[in-house]
Amino acid sequence: MELKRVVYGIIMSISLIVVRLINKYLYDMPTLASFIFLILIMVVSYNLVDRSLYFDRQISRKTYYLLNTLIVTLLIVAFYTIKS
């Protein structure tokens, strides 16, 4: 498994959390604006990861699953923390 695939999940999680935090605390954006902003963050981040050679490294399947589980858990915790 490539490390790049894990980083894509991290980018998706972080961008969702950032947009949610902006909606909750800074500016209540319309849904369409939030969606466009989310896509913009993800596209720019994906392009930066694709250009970097560091993320082409191979990781073990066990590490891949462990990192993905950690990402999903942190995403759930972050959403419940933001909600309260």
Side-chain angles (χ1 to χ4, degrees), residues 53-67:
L53 297 176
Y54 178 78
F55 298 110
D56 289 334
R57 298 185 310 155
Q58 295 292 321
I59 59 173
S60 69
R61 186 175 297 270
K62 186 177 182 180
T63 305
Y64 174 77
Y65 289 133
L66 182 67
L67 287 173

Side-chain angles (χ1 to χ4, degrees), residues 12-58:
M12 207 177 310
S13 300
I14 290 174
S15 57
L16 282 170
I17 291 170
V18 166
V19 169
R20 178 71 175 136
L21 283 171
I22 290 171
N23 274 337
K24 178 111 176 163
Y25 295 112
L26 294 177
Y27 178 70
D28 189 22
M29 293 186 281
T31 306
L32 184 61
S34 298
F35 189 66
I36 291 171
F37 187 61
L38 180 66
I39 290 174
L40 180 69
I41 291 172
M42 291 173 64
V43 167
V44 168
S45 300
Y46 285 167
N47 284 334
L48 290 174
V49 168
D50 281 338
R51 290 182 183 171
S52 175
L53 297 176
Y54 178 78
F55 298 110
D56 289 334
R57 298 185 310 155
Q58 295 292 321

